[in-house]
Amino acid sequence: MMHAWEAIQKSVDYIENHLTEEIPIDKLAEIANLSPFYFQRLFSRLVKKPVCEYMKLRRLAKAVSDLNEKNCRILDTALDYGFSSHANFTRAFKETYGITPDEYRTTGVHLNQFVKPELILNYVMVDENVPIVTEGIVLEVTRKQLAMPRTFIGIAKEIPVSELLGGTDTSVSFAAKLWNEFHEVKPKIPHLLADGNEFGVLYMGKAKEGYCTYMAGAEAGHGSAEDGFTVFELPSAEYLVCGFEAESFEELTNSAVYKAQTFMSHWMEKHNLTTTDFAGEMYYPVTGGCAYMEHWMLPIPIK
């Protein structure tokens, strides 16, 4: 017997492999072994988007990747992904990301995408220290005891909470822009450790409604606010850590991070846990062609 999420995942996988083709709803319903009516209802429920809207967003995501190739004409990209003209493609692109394809190419900003879902992460639970493998990424939940506090220095800004909603926000990425700014000033920051980890942390701070504070930084021997940068101390405690590995740093930051967030959200709910008022992202150097990072959280039992 096939679970409902497995039937919809089969259609999601088919869409991903045929984004440059016309994809009839009837074909997708047949793949899921459902009537077109029930297929569309179930797809919207599990993927959180109507199927036609989802296909548009995934086509635009692939188009963004193609636009990074400077020798690719915008019109050619538009036609490849089923848009009838440059104007229609530009309109859809701007409605989704807030900028035009031409502006995207000239500004070089990073765009948040609606990530292809791996529905297994919503329904399959594993114990701590048991890896789960799906679609080119490996995730594992462990506990780590931090005996001594660790200090990180960087720059912090307010970013929209919507940007952190598990790969469902489509817009210019404020977090990626902040990391670019950090890497520009990183050589000027005192006390950073040569072999220290880079670290992103989000917390409320004094952020206005609908926003949170996000810091992009790196590990330091010591530091203070007087240095002109933001300082965050990771307290000594036992942390719940979700480590995940992807085949490249781009894959890690573009989709794996959101899939890990989805998995941990359901994992913690299943284990009757929530977190304190901050969460961290620990980055490790790329080794052997693979990229690895960890989500660090202080777990609290839900009463």
Side-chain angles (χ1 to χ4, degrees), residues 58 61 90 120-121 130 146 184-185 189 198 238 251 261 278 282 301:
R58 288 304 303 152
T90 296
I120 188 175
L121 299 178
V130 178
L146 191 62
E184 289 177 4
V185 300
I189 300 178
E198 290 194 338
E238 184 181 65
E251 172 70 15
Q261 288 173 358
F278 75 89
M282 192 82 70

Side-chain angles (χ1 to χ4, degrees), residues 144-153 193 195-199 215 218-223 231-237 239 241 278 282-284 294 296:
K144 287 194 176 184
Q145 182 69 46
L146 191 62
M148 297 290 293
R150 295 173 68 178
T151 300
F152 299 88
I153 302 178
L193 301 178
D195 58 350
N197 296 100
E198 290 194 338
F199 188 71
M215 187 196 86
E219 192 165 6
H222 59 88
V231 178
F232 182 87
E233 185 177 89
L234 191 64
S236 57
Y239 288 85
V241 175
F278 75 89
M282 192 82 70
Y283 292 88
Y284 292 82
E294 296 172 337
W296 284 56

Side-chain angles (χ1 to χ4, degrees), residues 77-89:
T77 299
L79 296 176
D80 284 345
Y81 291 100
F83 295 91
S84 58
S85 67
H86 188 299
N88 285 340
F89 176 62

Side-chain angles (χ1 to χ4, degrees), residues 47-64:
V47 181
K48 312 304 182 188
K49 288 286 182 184
V51 62
C52 289
E53 175 72 5
Y54 172 78
M55 287 192 288
K56 183 188 79 171
L57 292 174
R58 288 304 303 152
R59 283 173 171 141
L60 285 169
K62 291 295 186 180
V64 166

Side-chain angles (χ1 to χ4, degrees), residues 108-124:
V109 296
H110 182 84
L111 298 176
N112 291 318
Q113 308 289 355
F114 194 99
V115 172
K116 172 181 177 279
E118 299 302 323
L119 297 176
I120 188 175
L121 299 178
N122 295 346
Y123 298 99
V124 173

Side-chain angles (χ1 to χ4, degrees), residues 2-13 15 32 39 42-49 54 114-125 132-135 137 166 168 258-259 262-263 266:
M2 184 183 298
H3 294 288
W5 65 264
E6 292 177 296
I8 296 303
Q9 186 67 56
K10 287 179 67 176
S11 70
V12 166
D13 294 341
I15 290 169
F39 166 73
L42 189 58
F43 190 99
S44 295
R45 177 183 166 191
L46 297 186
V47 181
K48 312 304 182 188
K49 288 286 182 184
Y54 172 78
F114 194 99
V115 172
K116 172 181 177 279
E118 299 302 323
L119 297 176
I120 188 175
L121 299 178
N122 295 346
Y123 298 99
V124 173
M125 288 294 112
I132 181 170
V133 182
T134 177
E135 195 68 18
I137 64 172
T168 62
Y258 298 116
K259 293 174 183 178
T262 298
F263 176 72
H266 291 280

